[in-house]
Amino acid sequence: MRKSLVILLIGDFFLAGLALAAGILLRFGTLTGSEASEIGGWQLLFFAAVLLFSGFFVELYSASGNYRRMELAVRVFIGLCLSFVILSAVYYIFPSLLIGRGVLLSALLIFGVTQIIWHSSSPLLHVVPGFAQKIVILGNGTLGKQIEDLIPRERNNFVFAGYIKAAAEGPMGPDKNVVGTMDNIFETVSRIKPNKIIVSLAERRGVLPVKEILKCKLSGIEVIDAMNFYERLTGKLLVENINPSWFIFSSGFRVTRFMCFYKRVLDVALSLTGIILAAPLMPLIALAVRLDSPGPVFFRQERVGKGEQPFTLIKFRTMRNDAEKNGAVWACKDDPRVTKVGHILRKTRLDEIPQLFNVLKGDMSFVGPRPERPEFVETLKEKIPYYSKRHFVKPGVTGWAQVRYPYGASVEDSLEKLRYDLYYIKNFSIFLDILIILETIKVVLFGRGAR
């Protein structure tokens, strides 16, 4: 997570505490009276946690969330409404956490106003030394330009300071934004004083000035490989510029037996819970599918699983029974093959419910790359480098690519989703799985990306 987003979270946590204190003061006129003293640390922590959770759902902590003031105010208002509903429900079930309706409404109002002010003014922090970080890019070729374009112009703590020209790279223009050359790297960084040097050389053998870069490193400047910097900022891998040695020597891509064990336990627990909760809905969905169009209720299709082993995926049927009479094709926007009920099921993701049985059986995981059809896999393996690497883990009902990228229906989309899938495999952890599950709930609630 970027430093600026961490700062927003920390700031909101303290604002929640101040808002609650102000609400108590307005309600009781003191912070030390008998009624006020009944509100303790647990109530404060729970109050703040719910506010941050609601802020997450309305995307106040999104990396791309550079909102205008009116949109920010609307999102804050929706977050406050969500917080009020959650807090009211929990206070009803657990009265020990209750802080009183008068205090609650005052605290929420104060928090909302101060949160708008804080989020509106937080970009000013990026000009403060220690927050704004100067970046120099070593290499002014295509990769270097790609990294420059990546550095966000808004709501970030990075400032592009220029290129160090590499003779072998080929300029992008008439030495545009070039601040030095490979012959005087240390002299250049001593003058510009950057916080980071991003090494963006397409070819390093016999070109990389190791001694100069080492002097920069030992003088306290962080030196980062372009691919690692790209991964850190975007949450995906720059597949086109990665070579096999990068996979071998990079951190990550390590799955232990314990990780496999906890993931299987999590899969069984989540799939069983989902099946139990969805049990009353499934007969109704099946009836709707049957009445809407002729054909079977369930849609069975061969997909590629872990180790490129085929398995049969199960979903509620959302297309006409003759949808693929002319062969396998990707779904498209406003696909005419989708039935009326199918459109609703896809929007709400209810068509995915039967896949929980695939998870329970062990063909799939709850979180992982989406399983693709064998016909498409063979084509994509020929056109996209490292595509087969996504099959080193079980496919999932949801995944990092699904929550970060809209529905894919082309080779270009598959390449973009592969960047996210490989990031997930590289950074596989229980915390990332939990984040994806939370993001999936948000995607389902807002109906994004379905076709």
Side-chain angles (χ1 to χ4, degrees):
M1 186 180 288
R2 296 178 193 169
K3 183 187 290 187
S4 56
L5 299 184
V6 174
I7 293 169
L8 281 178
L9 281 165
I10 294 173
D12 280 355
F13 180 82
F14 281 106
L15 286 179
L18 292 174
L20 186 57
I24 295 171
L25 193 60
L26 286 174
R27 177 68 178 84
F28 301 114
T30 178
L31 294 174
T32 58
S34 58
E35 292 178 302
S37 62
E38 291 180 2
I39 302 174
W42 285 112
Q43 286 96 328
L44 169 60
L45 287 175
F46 181 71
F47 177 74
V50 171
L51 289 175
L52 296 182
F53 179 79
S54 300
F56 165 80
F57 264 86
V58 295
E59 298 188 337
L60 292 177
Y61 311 117
S62 169
S64 59
N66 183 41
Y67 306 120
R68 295 182 179 180
R69 184 161 295 183
M70 180 58 68
E71 184 180 0
L72 175 62
V74 171
R75 288 179 181 272
V76 169
F77 175 75
I78 295 172
L80 292 178
C81 292
L82 178 60
S83 297
F84 179 77
V85 171
I86 295 173
L87 289 168
S88 298
V90 174
Y91 291 157
Y92 180 79
I93 300 171
F94 301 103
S96 60
L97 293 172
L98 187 65
I99 60 175
R101 182 163 297 179
V103 174
L104 175 61
L105 293 175
S106 299
L108 286 175
L109 180 61
I110 293 168
F111 176 79
V113 172
T114 55
Q115 188 180 40
I116 292 172
I117 296 171
W118 164 234
H119 281 244
S120 299
S121 60
S122 62
L124 298 175
L125 290 172
H126 302 147
V127 301
V128 178
F131 289 99
Q133 299 188 56
K134 282 187 179 180
I135 289 179
V136 166
I137 298 176
L138 176 57
N140 62 326
T142 303
L143 180 58
K145 182 64 168 64
Q146 202 169 354
I147 296 301
E148 182 201 355
D149 292 340
L150 176 67
I151 298 172
R153 300 299 195 276
E154 304 288 343
R155 193 171 172 175
N156 68 87
N157 59 320
F158 296 121
V159 176
F160 173 61
Y163 292 101
I164 294 177
K165 184 177 180 180
E169 288 288 296
M172 298 167 299
D175 292 340
K176 183 181 178 181
N177 296 324
V178 171
V179 294
T181 66
M182 297 275 274
D183 299 325
N184 59 355
I185 293 177
F186 186 71
E187 178 185 329
T188 300
V189 299
S190 298
R191 171 169 46 88
I192 296 177
K193 294 181 173 55
N195 301 91
K196 304 178 189 294
I197 297 175
I198 312 300
V199 180
S200 303
L201 300 174
E203 181 56 57
R204 302 180 188 179
R205 294 176 185 174
V207 176
L208 191 66
V210 178
K211 290 184 179 180
E212 287 283 300
I213 294 177
L214 183 59
K215 287 170 66 177
C216 297
K217 177 83 171 181
L218 295 176
S219 65
I221 299 169
E222 187 179 5
V223 179
I224 309 175
D225 177 78
M227 269 66 80
N228 291 330
F229 185 72
Y230 182 93
E231 176 188 349
R232 184 185 300 182
L233 259 65
T234 64
K236 57 185 178 180
L237 302 187
L238 194 58
V239 176
E240 309 93 304
N241 294 89
I242 292 176
N243 53 43
S245 64
W246 184 88
F247 280 103
I248 295 171
F249 295 108
S250 67
S251 60
F253 297 108
R254 183 171 177 267
V255 181
T256 64
R257 290 183 179 179
F258 173 75
M259 293 167 73
C260 291
F261 172 75
Y262 94 70
K263 191 167 178 66
R264 182 57 187 155
V265 171
L266 185 65
D267 286 342
V268 172
L270 288 174
S271 59
L272 283 174
T273 302
I275 290 169
I276 293 170
L277 292 176
L281 274 177
M282 286 194 276
L284 299 177
I285 295 172
L287 180 62
V289 172
R290 177 57 63 84
L291 294 176
D292 183 46
S293 64
V297 169
F298 294 105
F299 173 72
R300 292 176 172 84
Q301 190 177 70
E302 187 178 59
R303 297 291 178 100
V304 178
K306 183 179 179 181
E308 300 194 8
Q309 294 299 310
F311 72 97
T312 302
L313 178 137
I314 309 171
K315 298 173 68 175
F316 282 115
R317 183 173 58 84
T318 58
M319 290 187 175
R320 300 193 313 265
N321 199 33
D322 62 348
E324 295 196 337
K325 59 183 179 181
N326 297 320
V329 292
W330 270 305
C332 60
K333 188 175 182 180
D334 299 323
D335 199 316
R337 299 172 299 164
V338 178
T339 64
K340 292 180 181 178
V341 169
H343 180 73
I344 298 172
L345 295 180
R346 283 173 171 247
K347 273 292 182 183
T348 57
R349 300 305 202 281
L350 292 174
D351 63 318
E352 311 275 0
I353 290 174
Q355 291 179 57
L356 296 175
F357 291 100
N358 285 117
V359 176
L360 195 59
K361 184 181 175 183
D363 292 329
M364 295 176 65
S365 178
F366 201 86
V367 178
R370 283 293 293 163
E372 196 52 85
R373 301 176 63 174
E375 306 94 309
F376 297 151
V377 168
E378 291 305 316
T379 301
L380 294 171
K381 283 167 64 177
E382 293 176 2
K383 296 183 177 181
I384 301 176
Y386 308 113
Y387 186 81
S388 60
K389 302 297 181 285
R390 72 196 298 274
H391 299 124
F392 277 93
V393 298
K394 286 182 181 180
V397 176
T398 185
W400 189 235
Q402 279 63 53
V403 299
R404 296 295 296 269
Y405 191 74
Y407 190 96
S410 66
V411 173
E412 292 73 21
D413 288 337
S414 296
L415 172 59
E416 188 66 15
K417 295 185 80 169
L418 178 65
R419 294 187 178 112
Y420 289 109
D421 287 335
L422 291 181
Y423 175 90
Y424 170 76
I425 296 171
K426 180 178 185 290
N427 298 280
F428 176 71
S429 70
I430 188 171
F431 302 106
L432 183 55
D433 277 8
I434 292 171
L435 174 62
I436 292 170
I437 291 169
L438 291 174
E439 287 283 356
T440 301
I441 296 171
K442 188 165 64 176
V443 168
V444 171
L445 289 176
F446 294 109
R448 297 175 183 168
R451 287 191 183 179

